[in-house]
Amino acid sequence: MKSKAVVYRADGTTVQVEDIVVQAPGPHEVMIKLGACGVCHSDLSVTNGTLPLPAPVILGHEGAGVVCQVGESVTELKVGDTVISCFVNSCGACRYCASGKPNLCDMGNTTPYTLPGGQPRTFDKDGKPLNAMGGCGVMAEYATLHRNNVIKVAPGVPLDRCALIGCGVMTGWGAACNTAKVEPGSICVVFGAGGVGLSTIQGCQNAGATMIVAVDMLALKLDLAKTFGATHVLDASKSENVVKELRKLTGGGADYAFECVGHGEIVAQAYGCLRKGGTAVVVGLAGPANITTLKTASFALEEKTLKGSYYGSTRPRHDFPRLLGLYQAGKLKLDELITQRYRIEDAPQAFEDLANGRNARGVIVFD
């Protein structure tokens, strides 16, 4: 199948839209005709080296579309099914899958840019293989994925809203509701009010938090945070001591703090703004050399917890339909999260807007 796709080829260069060839699905694979793909910070992280994936690579891991071809041995999916891409391939058999943590699947961690087995399914116009981000590569009109990288959902929700579930919303909402398990009446602080941070705020609100403080350096993002459930905001660009101000604002510290930026110093701020017994959750993806420094004694003396949240500790086949159900019930904002839609030809502009913090979430919409 001929397709247009957003491709990243070399360190430090901008993305480009290319004509590619997508091979038909083999055993255990399906081909998807994409309807929409979110432009996520993880995509940007590939282009700036934070997420080192080998180029050339087709970007996109937050997509939704319709199955158009089904490979051999695939029985749970059929042509016409609505699906959302899932960048963690959950095998269902390793110790993590068996213990209810498919987001940590061993197979998912060993295939970050290929399908299981390492075989390419996309090629450029010269016949050279292209890698696929997260085993997905769904910033394209068509994509062939392993059956474990697609989650079937009920039809009826527009595909641009469905796409958001595939990464940003699941990551943020899951950090609050799955990883931290925020308790009703809690005080929460969320660092970063981009797509993931706004979804974390929604998760805290859904869980019953009574005070939610959003921290960011952009006025636009702080205004958005208020519409997504933040009860208070703090402009970090105007603060001399973020931790001190947050502890004062929260009356002694937060019960939960979420770092949704991906920076060691902000992780330390999230930990520092906690009250005794509080929990800080690292959600953002930091670069390989990024380091967090904390006072060791505080772990014992204050019984604080620092933990990570990968992909919102999701169980995709359970959580994706669950989140769409919340959206349909009016309890999860997805429409408002999309602040700009782009055609695939405008992908370079979408990445520029992302880098400059102009969107909550930009989405590429396909014909």
Side-chain angles (χ1 to χ4, degrees), residues 195-265:
V196 172
L198 295 175
S199 298
T200 304
I201 290 170
Q202 290 200 83
C204 292
Q205 184 184 53
N206 287 167
T210 52
M211 183 178 187
I212 306 171
V213 185
V215 184
D216 206 290
M217 300 181 70
L218 297 176
L220 170 65
K221 297 293 183 70
L222 293 174
D223 288 340
L224 280 169
K226 295 174 186 177
T227 69
F228 278 80
T231 59
H232 300 73
V233 297
L234 176 64
D235 188 340
S237 69
K238 299 178 180 179
S239 174
E240 294 183 1
N241 190 318
V242 170
V243 171
K244 186 176 180 179
E245 289 192 35
L246 286 171
R247 293 183 69 86
K248 180 179 179 180
L249 181 61
T250 57
D255 299 298
Y256 302 93
F258 300 87
E259 197 280 348
C260 302
V261 180
H263 196 285
E265 291 184 7

Short mmCIF file of all heavy atoms in Angstrom, two decimals, residues 195-265:
data_model
loop_
_atom_site.label_atom_id
_atom_site.label_comp_id
_atom_site.label_asym_id
_atom_site.label_seq_id
_atom_site.Cartn_x
_atom_site.Cartn_y
_atom_site.Cartn_z
N GLY A 195 -0.32 18.23 27.16
CA GLY A 195 -1.35 17.21 27.01
C GLY A 195 -1.34 16.18 28.11
O GLY A 195 -2.40 15.80 28.63
N VAL A 196 -0.15 15.72 28.53
CA VAL A 196 -0.07 14.73 29.60
C VAL A 196 -0.44 15.35 30.93
O VAL A 196 -1.18 14.76 31.73
CB VAL A 196 1.35 14.11 29.65
CG1 VAL A 196 1.50 13.23 30.88
CG2 VAL A 196 1.62 13.30 28.40
N GLY A 197 0.07 16.55 31.21
CA GLY A 197 -0.24 17.21 32.47
C GLY A 197 -1.72 17.51 32.62
O GLY A 197 -2.30 17.30 33.70
N LEU A 198 -2.36 17.97 31.55
CA LEU A 198 -3.80 18.25 31.60
C LEU A 198 -4.59 16.96 31.84
O LEU A 198 -5.60 16.97 32.55
CB LEU A 198 -4.25 18.91 30.30
CG LEU A 198 -3.67 20.31 30.02
CD1 LEU A 198 -4.11 20.80 28.65
CD2 LEU A 198 -4.11 21.31 31.10
N SER A 199 -4.11 15.87 31.27
CA SER A 199 -4.78 14.58 31.50
C SER A 199 -4.55 14.09 32.93
O SER A 199 -5.44 13.46 33.52
CB SER A 199 -4.27 13.55 30.50
OG SER A 199 -4.56 13.95 29.17
N THR A 200 -3.38 14.40 33.49
CA THR A 200 -3.13 14.07 34.89
C THR A 200 -4.08 14.86 35.80
O THR A 200 -4.63 14.32 36.77
CB THR A 200 -1.67 14.38 35.26
OG1 THR A 200 -0.80 13.68 34.38
CG2 THR A 200 -1.37 13.97 36.69
N ILE A 201 -4.26 16.12 35.48
CA ILE A 201 -5.20 16.95 36.24
C ILE A 201 -6.60 16.34 36.19
O ILE A 201 -7.30 16.26 37.22
CB ILE A 201 -5.21 18.39 35.68
CG1 ILE A 201 -3.89 19.09 36.01
CG2 ILE A 201 -6.39 19.18 36.22
CD1 ILE A 201 -3.70 20.43 35.31
N GLN A 202 -7.01 15.88 35.01
CA GLN A 202 -8.33 15.25 34.90
C GLN A 202 -8.41 13.98 35.74
O GLN A 202 -9.43 13.70 36.36
CB GLN A 202 -8.63 14.92 33.44
CG GLN A 202 -8.88 16.13 32.57
CD GLN A 202 -9.64 15.76 31.32
OE1 GLN A 202 -10.86 15.65 31.30
NE2 GLN A 202 -8.91 15.55 30.24
N GLY A 203 -7.31 13.22 35.74
CA GLY A 203 -7.30 12.00 36.55
C GLY A 203 -7.43 12.32 38.03
O GLY A 203 -8.17 11.65 38.76
N CYS A 204 -6.72 13.35 38.49
CA CYS A 204 -6.82 13.76 39.90
C CYS A 204 -8.25 14.19 40.22
O CYS A 204 -8.79 13.85 41.28
CB CYS A 204 -5.85 14.90 40.18
SG CYS A 204 -4.10 14.44 40.09
N GLN A 205 -8.85 14.93 39.31
CA GLN A 205 -10.23 15.38 39.52
C GLN A 205 -11.19 14.20 39.55
O GLN A 205 -12.05 14.11 40.43
CB GLN A 205 -10.63 16.35 38.41
CG GLN A 205 -12.01 16.97 38.58
CD GLN A 205 -12.39 17.84 37.40
OE1 GLN A 205 -12.34 17.42 36.25
NE2 GLN A 205 -12.77 19.09 37.70
N ASN A 206 -11.04 13.26 38.60
CA ASN A 206 -11.90 12.07 38.59
C ASN A 206 -11.76 11.26 39.86
O ASN A 206 -12.73 10.65 40.34
CB ASN A 206 -11.54 11.17 37.39
CG ASN A 206 -12.00 11.73 36.06
OD1 ASN A 206 -11.58 11.24 35.01
ND2 ASN A 206 -12.82 12.77 36.05
N ALA A 207 -10.55 11.27 40.44
CA ALA A 207 -10.30 10.48 41.65
C ALA A 207 -10.81 11.17 42.92
O ALA A 207 -10.79 10.57 43.99
CB ALA A 207 -8.81 10.21 41.79
N GLY A 208 -11.23 12.43 42.79
CA GLY A 208 -11.81 13.11 43.95
C GLY A 208 -10.89 14.06 44.68
O GLY A 208 -11.20 14.47 45.81
N ALA A 209 -9.77 14.45 44.08
CA ALA A 209 -8.89 15.43 44.72
C ALA A 209 -9.65 16.74 44.90
O ALA A 209 -10.38 17.17 44.01
CB ALA A 209 -7.64 15.65 43.88
N THR A 210 -9.46 17.37 46.03
CA THR A 210 -10.17 18.62 46.31
C THR A 210 -9.34 19.86 46.03
O THR A 210 -9.88 20.96 45.92
CB THR A 210 -10.64 18.66 47.78
OG1 THR A 210 -9.53 18.39 48.64
CG2 THR A 210 -11.72 17.62 48.02
N MET A 211 -8.03 19.70 45.92
CA MET A 211 -7.15 20.80 45.55
C MET A 211 -6.15 20.30 44.53
O MET A 211 -5.44 19.32 44.77
CB MET A 211 -6.41 21.37 46.77
CG MET A 211 -5.53 22.56 46.46
SD MET A 211 -4.73 23.23 47.98
CE MET A 211 -3.97 24.72 47.31
N ILE A 212 -6.11 20.93 43.36
CA ILE A 212 -5.20 20.54 42.29
C ILE A 212 -4.47 21.79 41.82
O ILE A 212 -5.09 22.72 41.30
CB ILE A 212 -5.95 19.89 41.11
CG1 ILE A 212 -6.82 18.72 41.58
CG2 ILE A 212 -4.96 19.44 40.04
CD1 ILE A 212 -7.75 18.17 40.51
N VAL A 213 -3.16 21.81 42.01
CA VAL A 213 -2.35 22.96 41.63
C VAL A 213 -1.57 22.62 40.37
O VAL A 213 -0.82 21.63 40.34
CB VAL A 213 -1.36 23.35 42.75
CG1 VAL A 213 -0.62 24.63 42.37
CG2 VAL A 213 -2.09 23.53 44.08
N ALA A 214 -1.73 23.42 39.33
CA ALA A 214 -0.98 23.25 38.09
C ALA A 214 0.20 24.20 38.09
O ALA A 214 0.06 25.38 38.42
CB ALA A 214 -1.86 23.51 36.88
N VAL A 215 1.39 23.70 37.73
CA VAL A 215 2.60 24.50 37.68
C VAL A 215 3.15 24.49 36.25
O VAL A 215 3.35 23.42 35.66
CB VAL A 215 3.67 23.95 38.64
CG1 VAL A 215 4.90 24.85 38.64
CG2 VAL A 215 3.12 23.80 40.05
N ASP A 216 3.36 25.66 35.70
CA ASP A 216 3.91 25.76 34.35
C ASP A 216 4.55 27.13 34.20
O ASP A 216 4.41 27.98 35.09
CB ASP A 216 2.82 25.55 33.28
CG ASP A 216 3.37 25.04 31.96
OD1 ASP A 216 4.07 25.81 31.27
OD2 ASP A 216 3.13 23.86 31.62
N MET A 217 5.22 27.35 33.07
CA MET A 217 5.86 28.64 32.82
C MET A 217 5.18 29.43 31.72
O MET A 217 5.60 30.53 31.38
CB MET A 217 7.34 28.43 32.45
CG MET A 217 8.13 27.73 33.54
SD MET A 217 9.89 27.49 33.11
CE MET A 217 10.48 29.17 33.18
N LEU A 218 4.10 28.86 31.14
CA LEU A 218 3.39 29.52 30.06
C LEU A 218 1.97 29.85 30.50
O LEU A 218 1.22 28.98 30.98
CB LEU A 218 3.33 28.61 28.82
CG LEU A 218 4.68 28.27 28.17
CD1 LEU A 218 4.48 27.29 27.03
CD2 LEU A 218 5.38 29.53 27.67
N ALA A 219 1.58 31.11 30.32
CA ALA A 219 0.25 31.56 30.73
C ALA A 219 -0.84 30.79 30.00
O ALA A 219 -1.89 30.46 30.59
CB ALA A 219 0.11 33.06 30.49
N LEU A 220 -0.63 30.50 28.71
CA LEU A 220 -1.61 29.74 27.94
C LEU A 220 -1.90 28.39 28.58
O LEU A 220 -3.06 27.98 28.71
CB LEU A 220 -1.11 29.55 26.50
CG LEU A 220 -1.91 28.58 25.62
CD1 LEU A 220 -3.31 29.11 25.39
CD2 LEU A 220 -1.19 28.34 24.29
N LYS A 221 -0.84 27.70 28.99
CA LYS A 221 -1.00 26.38 29.58
C LYS A 221 -1.71 26.47 30.94
O LYS A 221 -2.54 25.61 31.28
CB LYS A 221 0.37 25.71 29.74
CG LYS A 221 1.09 25.46 28.43
CD LYS A 221 0.37 24.42 27.59
CE LYS A 221 1.11 24.09 26.31
NZ LYS A 221 2.35 23.35 26.52
N LEU A 222 -1.42 27.48 31.70
CA LEU A 222 -2.06 27.64 33.01
C LEU A 222 -3.54 27.96 32.85
O LEU A 222 -4.38 27.49 33.64
CB LEU A 222 -1.35 28.73 33.82
CG LEU A 222 0.08 28.38 34.23
CD1 LEU A 222 0.75 29.56 34.90
CD2 LEU A 222 0.11 27.16 35.15
N ASP A 223 -3.88 28.74 31.83
CA ASP A 223 -5.30 29.02 31.57
C ASP A 223 -6.02 27.73 31.17
O ASP A 223 -7.16 27.49 31.60
CB ASP A 223 -5.43 30.06 30.45
CG ASP A 223 -5.05 31.47 30.91
OD1 ASP A 223 -5.05 31.72 32.13
OD2 ASP A 223 -4.74 32.31 30.04
N LEU A 224 -5.36 26.91 30.35
CA LEU A 224 -5.96 25.62 29.97
C LEU A 224 -6.15 24.74 31.20
O LEU A 224 -7.17 24.06 31.33
CB LEU A 224 -5.05 24.91 28.96
CG LEU A 224 -5.14 25.35 27.51
CD1 LEU A 224 -4.00 24.74 26.70
CD2 LEU A 224 -6.48 24.96 26.90
N ALA A 225 -5.17 24.74 32.09
CA ALA A 225 -5.24 23.90 33.29
C ALA A 225 -6.49 24.20 34.10
O ALA A 225 -7.11 23.29 34.66
CB ALA A 225 -3.99 24.10 34.14
N LYS A 226 -6.89 25.46 34.17
CA LYS A 226 -8.10 25.83 34.93
C LYS A 226 -9.34 25.19 34.32
O LYS A 226 -10.24 24.76 35.03
CB LYS A 226 -8.24 27.35 34.97
CG LYS A 226 -7.14 28.07 35.72
CD LYS A 226 -7.30 29.59 35.58
CE LYS A 226 -6.14 30.34 36.20
NZ LYS A 226 -6.25 31.80 36.00
N THR A 227 -9.38 25.12 32.99
CA THR A 227 -10.55 24.54 32.34
C THR A 227 -10.58 23.03 32.46
O THR A 227 -11.63 22.40 32.27
CB THR A 227 -10.60 24.92 30.84
OG1 THR A 227 -9.53 24.27 30.15
CG2 THR A 227 -10.49 26.43 30.67
N PHE A 228 -9.43 22.41 32.77
CA PHE A 228 -9.36 20.95 32.89
C PHE A 228 -9.45 20.47 34.34
O PHE A 228 -9.32 19.28 34.59
CB PHE A 228 -8.08 20.43 32.23
CG PHE A 228 -8.20 20.28 30.74
CD1 PHE A 228 -8.08 21.38 29.91
CD2 PHE A 228 -8.44 19.05 30.17
CE1 PHE A 228 -8.19 21.25 28.53
CE2 PHE A 228 -8.57 18.89 28.80
CZ PHE A 228 -8.45 20.01 27.98
N GLY A 229 -9.65 21.38 35.28
CA GLY A 229 -9.89 20.94 36.65
C GLY A 229 -8.94 21.47 37.70
O GLY A 229 -9.11 21.18 38.89
N ALA A 230 -7.91 22.25 37.30
CA ALA A 230 -7.00 22.81 38.30
C ALA A 230 -7.74 23.85 39.14
O ALA A 230 -8.41 24.73 38.61
CB ALA A 230 -5.79 23.44 37.63
N THR A 231 -7.61 23.74 40.45
CA THR A 231 -8.24 24.73 41.34
C THR A 231 -7.32 25.91 41.60
O THR A 231 -7.78 27.00 41.96
CB THR A 231 -8.59 24.07 42.69
OG1 THR A 231 -7.38 23.56 43.30
CG2 THR A 231 -9.57 22.93 42.49
N HIS A 232 -6.00 25.72 41.41
CA HIS A 232 -5.01 26.76 41.60
C HIS A 232 -3.92 26.59 40.55
O HIS A 232 -3.71 25.49 40.03
CB HIS A 232 -4.37 26.69 43.00
CG HIS A 232 -5.33 26.83 44.13
ND1 HIS A 232 -6.21 25.81 44.48
CD2 HIS A 232 -5.56 27.86 45.00
CE1 HIS A 232 -6.93 26.22 45.52
NE2 HIS A 232 -6.55 27.45 45.85
N VAL A 233 -3.22 27.69 40.23
CA VAL A 233 -2.10 27.62 39.29
C VAL A 233 -0.92 28.40 39.86
O VAL A 233 -1.09 29.32 40.67
CB VAL A 233 -2.48 28.19 37.90
CG1 VAL A 233 -3.58 27.36 37.26
CG2 VAL A 233 -2.88 29.66 37.98
N LEU A 234 0.27 28.01 39.42
CA LEU A 234 1.49 28.70 39.83
C LEU A 234 2.38 28.87 38.61
O LEU A 234 2.74 27.90 37.94
CB LEU A 234 2.24 27.90 40.90
CG LEU A 234 3.59 28.48 41.36
CD1 LEU A 234 3.39 29.83 42.04
CD2 LEU A 234 4.29 27.52 42.31
N ASP A 235 2.71 30.13 38.31
CA ASP A 235 3.59 30.44 37.19
C ASP A 235 5.03 30.32 37.67
O ASP A 235 5.53 31.19 38.39
CB ASP A 235 3.30 31.85 36.69
CG ASP A 235 4.06 32.17 35.40
OD1 ASP A 235 5.07 31.49 35.12
OD2 ASP A 235 3.65 33.10 34.68
N ALA A 236 5.69 29.24 37.29
CA ALA A 236 7.04 28.97 37.76
C ALA A 236 8.04 30.00 37.25
O ALA A 236 9.10 30.20 37.86
CB ALA A 236 7.48 27.57 37.34
N SER A 237 7.72 30.66 36.14
CA SER A 237 8.64 31.66 35.60
C SER A 237 8.70 32.91 36.46
O SER A 237 9.63 33.72 36.34
CB SER A 237 8.23 32.05 34.18
OG SER A 237 7.00 32.78 34.18
N LYS A 238 7.72 33.09 37.34
CA LYS A 238 7.66 34.28 38.20
C LYS A 238 7.92 33.94 39.67
O LYS A 238 7.75 34.79 40.53
CB LYS A 238 6.29 34.95 38.07
CG LYS A 238 5.98 35.43 36.65
CD LYS A 238 4.59 36.04 36.57
CE LYS A 238 4.28 36.51 35.15
NZ LYS A 238 2.92 37.09 35.05
N SER A 239 8.34 32.71 39.91
CA SER A 239 8.54 32.27 41.29
C SER A 239 10.02 32.19 41.63
O SER A 239 10.81 31.64 40.86
CB SER A 239 7.89 30.90 41.50
OG SER A 239 8.18 30.39 42.78
N GLU A 240 10.41 32.73 42.78
CA GLU A 240 11.79 32.64 43.24
C GLU A 240 12.09 31.28 43.88
O GLU A 240 13.22 30.80 43.84
CB GLU A 240 12.09 33.75 44.24
CG GLU A 240 12.04 35.16 43.64
CD GLU A 240 12.41 36.23 44.63
OE1 GLU A 240 12.73 35.87 45.80
OE2 GLU A 240 12.38 37.41 44.27
N ASN A 241 11.06 30.65 44.46
CA ASN A 241 11.22 29.35 45.11
C ASN A 241 9.92 28.57 44.96
O ASN A 241 8.99 28.74 45.75
CB ASN A 241 11.59 29.53 46.58
CG ASN A 241 12.01 28.22 47.23
OD1 ASN A 241 11.40 27.17 47.01
ND2 ASN A 241 13.05 28.26 48.06
N VAL A 242 9.87 27.75 43.94
CA VAL A 242 8.64 27.02 43.61
C VAL A 242 8.20 26.12 44.76
O VAL A 242 7.03 26.08 45.14
CB VAL A 242 8.82 26.20 42.32
CG1 VAL A 242 7.64 25.26 42.11
CG2 VAL A 242 8.98 27.12 41.12
N VAL A 243 9.15 25.39 45.34
CA VAL A 243 8.81 24.46 46.42
C VAL A 243 8.24 25.21 47.62
O VAL A 243 7.22 24.81 48.20
CB VAL A 243 10.05 23.64 46.83
CG1 VAL A 243 9.77 22.82 48.09
CG2 VAL A 243 10.46 22.71 45.69
N LYS A 244 8.88 26.27 48.00
CA LYS A 244 8.42 27.06 49.16
C LYS A 244 7.02 27.60 48.93
O LYS A 244 6.16 27.55 49.82
CB LYS A 244 9.39 28.21 49.43
CG LYS A 244 9.08 29.00 50.69
CD LYS A 244 10.15 30.05 50.93
CE LYS A 244 9.85 30.86 52.20
NZ LYS A 244 10.91 31.87 52.45
N GLU A 245 6.76 28.13 47.73
CA GLU A 245 5.43 28.67 47.43
C GLU A 245 4.37 27.57 47.42
O GLU A 245 3.24 27.78 47.88
CB GLU A 245 5.46 29.40 46.10
CG GLU A 245 6.22 30.71 46.14
CD GLU A 245 5.99 31.55 44.89
OE1 GLU A 245 4.86 31.51 44.38
OE2 GLU A 245 6.93 32.24 44.45
N LEU A 246 4.72 26.40 46.90
CA LEU A 246 3.75 25.31 46.86
C LEU A 246 3.43 24.80 48.26
O LEU A 246 2.27 24.50 48.58
CB LEU A 246 4.28 24.17 45.99
CG LEU A 246 4.25 24.42 44.48
CD1 LEU A 246 5.00 23.33 43.74
CD2 LEU A 246 2.81 24.51 43.97
N ARG A 247 4.42 24.68 49.09
CA ARG A 247 4.18 24.22 50.47
C ARG A 247 3.30 25.21 51.22
O ARG A 247 2.44 24.81 52.02
CB ARG A 247 5.50 24.00 51.19
CG ARG A 247 6.31 22.83 50.62
CD ARG A 247 7.58 22.58 51.41
NE ARG A 247 7.27 22.06 52.73
CZ ARG A 247 7.07 20.78 53.03
NH1 ARG A 247 7.13 19.87 52.07
NH2 ARG A 247 6.81 20.39 54.25
N LYS A 248 3.48 26.49 50.95
CA LYS A 248 2.64 27.50 51.59
C LYS A 248 1.21 27.43 51.04
O LYS A 248 0.23 27.46 51.79
CB LYS A 248 3.22 28.88 51.37
CG LYS A 248 2.42 30.02 52.00
CD LYS A 248 3.07 31.37 51.76
CE LYS A 248 2.25 32.49 52.38
NZ LYS A 248 2.88 33.83 52.14
N LEU A 249 1.10 27.33 49.70
CA LEU A 249 -0.21 27.29 49.05
C LEU A 249 -1.02 26.08 49.49
O LEU A 249 -2.25 26.16 49.65
CB LEU A 249 -0.02 27.28 47.53
CG LEU A 249 -1.26 27.25 46.65
CD1 LEU A 249 -2.13 28.50 46.88
CD2 LEU A 249 -0.87 27.15 45.19
N THR A 250 -0.35 24.95 49.70
CA THR A 250 -1.05 23.70 50.05
C THR A 250 -1.17 23.48 51.55
O THR A 250 -1.64 22.44 51.99
CB THR A 250 -0.31 22.49 49.43
OG1 THR A 250 1.05 22.50 49.89
CG2 THR A 250 -0.35 22.56 47.91
N GLY A 251 -0.73 24.45 52.33
CA GLY A 251 -0.86 24.33 53.78
C GLY A 251 0.06 23.30 54.40
O GLY A 251 -0.32 22.60 55.33
N GLY A 252 1.28 23.19 53.84
CA GLY A 252 2.24 22.26 54.42
C GLY A 252 2.75 21.21 53.47
O GLY A 252 3.66 20.44 53.81
N GLY A 253 2.18 21.14 52.28
CA GLY A 253 2.66 20.18 51.30
C GLY A 253 1.53 19.37 50.67
O GLY A 253 0.43 19.25 51.22
N ALA A 254 1.82 18.80 49.51
CA ALA A 254 0.84 18.03 48.77
C ALA A 254 0.86 16.56 49.17
O ALA A 254 1.87 16.04 49.63
CB ALA A 254 1.11 18.15 47.27
N ASP A 255 -0.27 15.91 48.97
CA ASP A 255 -0.33 14.46 49.16
C ASP A 255 0.30 13.74 47.97
O ASP A 255 0.96 12.70 48.13
CB ASP A 255 -1.78 14.01 49.31
CG ASP A 255 -2.46 14.63 50.51
OD1 ASP A 255 -2.00 14.37 51.64
OD2 ASP A 255 -3.45 15.37 50.32
N TYR A 256 0.09 14.31 46.78
CA TYR A 256 0.63 13.72 45.54
C TYR A 256 1.18 14.84 44.67
O TYR A 256 0.60 15.91 44.58
CB TYR A 256 -0.46 12.98 44.75
CG TYR A 256 -1.14 11.87 45.52
CD1 TYR A 256 -2.32 12.11 46.23
CD2 TYR A 256 -0.63 10.57 45.52
CE1 TYR A 256 -2.96 11.10 46.93
CE2 TYR A 256 -1.26 9.56 46.21
CZ TYR A 256 -2.42 9.83 46.92
OH TYR A 256 -3.04 8.82 47.61
N ALA A 257 2.31 14.58 44.03
CA ALA A 257 2.87 15.51 43.06
C ALA A 257 3.29 14.73 41.83
O ALA A 257 3.86 13.64 41.94
CB ALA A 257 4.07 16.26 43.65
N PHE A 258 3.02 15.29 40.66
CA PHE A 258 3.28 14.60 39.40
C PHE A 258 4.21 15.45 38.53
O PHE A 258 3.91 16.61 38.25
CB PHE A 258 1.96 14.36 38.65
CG PHE A 258 0.99 13.52 39.42
CD1 PHE A 258 0.10 14.11 40.32
CD2 PHE A 258 0.95 12.14 39.27
CE1 PHE A 258 -0.80 13.34 41.04
CE2 PHE A 258 0.06 11.36 39.99
CZ PHE A 258 -0.82 11.96 40.88
N GLU A 259 5.32 14.87 38.12
CA GLU A 259 6.27 15.54 37.25
C GLU A 259 5.98 15.09 35.82
O GLU A 259 6.22 13.94 35.45
CB GLU A 259 7.70 15.17 37.65
CG GLU A 259 8.76 16.12 37.07
CD GLU A 259 9.12 15.85 35.63
OE1 GLU A 259 8.74 14.78 35.10
OE2 GLU A 259 9.81 16.68 35.03
N CYS A 260 5.44 16.00 35.00
CA CYS A 260 5.01 15.66 33.64
C CYS A 260 5.83 16.40 32.59
O CYS A 260 5.34 16.68 31.50
CB CYS A 260 3.53 15.99 33.47
SG CYS A 260 2.43 15.15 34.62
N VAL A 261 7.07 16.73 32.93
CA VAL A 261 7.93 17.49 32.03
C VAL A 261 9.09 16.64 31.52
O VAL A 261 9.40 16.64 30.32
CB VAL A 261 8.49 18.76 32.75
CG1 VAL A 261 9.40 19.55 31.81
CG2 VAL A 261 7.33 19.63 33.24
N GLY A 262 9.75 15.92 32.43
CA GLY A 262 10.91 15.12 32.04
C GLY A 262 12.20 15.84 32.33
O GLY A 262 13.06 15.97 31.45
N HIS A 263 12.36 16.31 33.57
CA HIS A 263 13.58 17.03 33.94
C HIS A 263 13.90 16.77 35.41
O HIS A 263 13.04 16.89 36.28
CB HIS A 263 13.39 18.53 33.71
CG HIS A 263 14.68 19.29 33.70
ND1 HIS A 263 15.40 19.58 34.84
CD2 HIS A 263 15.40 19.81 32.66
CE1 HIS A 263 16.49 20.25 34.51
NE2 HIS A 263 16.52 20.40 33.19
N GLY A 264 15.16 16.42 35.67
CA GLY A 264 15.56 16.02 37.01
C GLY A 264 15.31 17.05 38.08
O GLY A 264 14.89 16.72 39.20
N GLU A 265 15.55 18.32 37.78
CA GLU A 265 15.33 19.37 38.78
C GLU A 265 13.86 19.49 39.15
O GLU A 265 13.52 19.77 40.30
CB GLU A 265 15.86 20.71 38.26
CG GLU A 265 17.37 20.76 38.15
CD GLU A 265 17.87 22.13 37.72
OE1 GLU A 265 17.03 23.06 37.65
OE2 GLU A 265 19.07 22.27 37.46
#
